[in-house]
Amino acid sequence: MLTAKIQAMLRRTYDFGGAPPVLECRGAALDTGDNTLSYQGQRLELTRNEYRILQVLMEHKGRTVSRDALMQKLWETDSFVDENTLTVNVARLRRRLEDIGLTDFVRTKKGLGYLVE
């Protein structure tokens, strides 16, 4: 746990050049520079949590990401965060994605987590 926190702090502090500037999946492009998602000529400004959810899922495209891993990425603190908070964030993100035509982009794997394919 401590190692993960230190790694997270280093990622935020230093640019190791590991992340690509744009992550793509199913015609959607996540710009890691300005936290926006582009799809079919539309540009969606994402909240911090929406961006982080999509970033993790798109970095692991085709693989299921556990709820615990997403919660660790979103809330890198020792404070207690209700698991329902993640559910609410994912539901809000799905609605916003559907508004620009991206239906079924974030899929749920019951008991395992979430993924994009």
Side-chain angles (χ1 to χ4, degrees):
M1 184 78 155
L2 180 59
T3 304
K5 289 180 185 263
I6 292 171
Q7 289 172 340
M9 289 174 64
L10 287 171
R11 276 194 310 272
R12 288 191 304 265
T13 306
Y14 300 102
D15 179 16
F16 293 111
V22 175
L23 298 170
E24 296 185 69
C25 181
R26 285 183 40 193
L30 181 66
D31 187 325
T32 60
D34 67 1
N35 299 4
T36 60
L37 182 80
S38 300
Y39 181 69
Q40 295 183 342
Q42 298 179 76
R43 190 165 178 239
L44 182 62
E45 301 255 345
L46 301 169
T47 66
R48 182 179 65 100
N49 285 347
E50 291 168 344
Y51 169 76
R52 285 184 173 178
I53 291 168
L54 278 180
Q55 179 188 25
V56 171
L57 294 177
M58 290 176 79
E59 284 173 347
H60 297 89
K61 180 173 47 175
R63 295 181 306 209
T64 302
V65 178
S66 72
R67 291 177 57 85
D68 287 341
L70 278 171
M71 289 180 68
Q72 179 66 34
K73 178 70 176 178
L74 268 63
W75 299 282
E76 298 169 336
T77 67
D78 284 334
S79 64
F80 177 77
V81 176
D82 187 350
E83 280 200 38
N84 189 49
T85 304
L86 178 60
T87 304
V88 169
N89 276 271
V90 170
R92 186 178 309 128
L93 174 60
R94 283 181 172 146
R95 276 193 305 275
R96 295 196 64 210
L97 293 174
E98 287 173 4
D99 287 347
I100 63 167
L102 265 173
T103 57
D104 298 321
F105 190 70
V106 176
R107 296 188 45 221
T108 301
K109 288 290 195 178
K110 291 250 186 236
L112 299 175
Y114 301 98
L115 82 150
V116 296
E117 296 180 294

